[in-house]
Amino acid sequence: MKPTPHIEAKNKDEIAKTVLMPGDPLRAKFIADTFLEDVKQFNSVRNVLGYTGTYKGRRISVMASGMGMPSIGIYSYELYKFYDVENIIRIGSCGGYTPKVELYDVILAKDVWSESSYAKVQNGYESDVIEGTPELNQRLIKYANELEIPMHIERIHSSDVFYRENFEEYKEIYEKHGCVAVEMEAFALFHNARVLGKNAACLLTVSDNLTTQEATTSEERQNAFTNMMKIALEMAE
Ligand code: HPA
């Protein structure tokens, strides 16, 4: 096959059926270096690093999404449509909208609310809520239970804007739509999965909280994300 505009792998079998997607390319590298064996790199276009390896003897890939819905929209579409990827699990960070979700807590996005035009522009989808794939969520819940890692299962907000002029608007989004945290990618990922008949899920670690203004450093985040990664890595097949 011909490589896609953004992924240089020449064969579909260079990429596993399940891909974990952190936003940050160096986090993708960290996961491959730390958790995977027999690792082969399959992408470096624009430094969006992608690797395939094994975890406990089972195959899995990890590739960065970049930040924001346009970026994850491109990479997830190409993986699903041209590389026959079946499952994408986003593993990201989020900002808490309520003290109920504390720093370093793990959240599974049951569904996602967004004011983004991504889905409407992509195929005319009108709703502002999209679900993750229930079967993937059931598996992730089972793995979290087995690993005894507590996990919130909640609605989240996918935002196009990190720096809102009026940051207090988060209170209304929490109250009106029930979103417990904000990130910037899940809505486009879930939409692409639905459109292409594939599966998607989103696991998040709370990296900051808008109600308390607490935040973590990038170094602390790297380490604290291990719990979330352990759950996601069990998806290897
Ligand atoms: N806003 C959007 N995305 C995020 C945040 C945030 O506060 N924290 C981590 N990802």
Side-chain angles (χ1 to χ4, degrees), residues 1-4 7-10 82-83:
M1 68 177 285
K2 276 206 326 225
T4 63
I7 303 173
E8 64 196 333
K10 290 194 189 68
F82 304 115
Y83 288 97

Side-chain angles (χ1 to χ4, degrees), residues 93-95 162 182-184 207-208 210:
S93 63
C94 64
F162 188 91
V182 57
E183 54 83 80
M184 306 186 77
S207 63
D208 50 272
L210 284 83

Side-chain angles (χ1 to χ4, degrees), residues 39-181:
V39 174
K40 286 212 175 81
Q41 187 173 335
F42 67 79
N43 198 49
S44 65
V45 177
R46 289 177 184 247
N47 286 324
V48 173
L49 305 173
Y51 306 87
T52 299
T54 60
Y55 180 72
K56 300 181 181 173
R58 287 130 56 193
R59 220 161 161 256
I60 194 158
S61 294
V62 53
M63 183 175 122
S65 68
M67 288 189 286
M69 288 182 252
S71 188
I72 198 167
I74 291 169
Y75 294 111
S76 60
Y77 195 92
E78 291 184 7
L79 288 170
Y80 284 140
K81 175 103 181 167
F82 304 115
Y83 288 97
D84 292 351
V85 166
E86 291 295 326
N87 310 310
I88 298 179
I89 321 290
R90 164 163 156 71
I91 42 176
S93 63
C94 64
Y97 277 176
T98 157
K100 210 164 71 172
V101 294
E102 296 181 20
L103 286 194
Y104 305 124
D105 280 4
V106 180
I107 300 175
L108 173 68
K110 177 169 56 79
D111 55 17
V112 50
W113 175 84
S114 184
E115 65 277 78
S116 161
S117 60
Y118 183 91
K120 189 163 194 281
V121 172
Q122 204 279 332
N123 78 340
Y125 182 82
E126 290 286 350
S127 170
D128 49 15
V129 172
I130 311 184
E131 260 199 336
T133 307
E135 294 76 28
L136 284 197
N137 289 347
Q138 287 312 318
R139 282 176 66 185
L140 291 165
I141 291 165
K142 177 168 159 269
Y143 301 145
N145 285 339
E146 285 167 1
L147 292 161
E148 298 183 3
I149 299 169
M151 189 165 74
H152 303 273
I153 302 157
E154 296 281 359
R155 171 172 296 175
I156 58 155
H157 175 205
S158 278
S159 178
D160 281 329
V161 178
F162 188 91
Y163 296 107
R164 272 180 190 260
E165 211 52 29
N166 177 6
F167 106 100
E168 302 248 325
E169 281 168 358
Y170 80 84
K171 292 175 186 163
E172 200 181 314
I173 298 171
Y174 172 62
E175 278 158 25
K176 245 196 182 155
H177 302 287
C179 306
V180 300

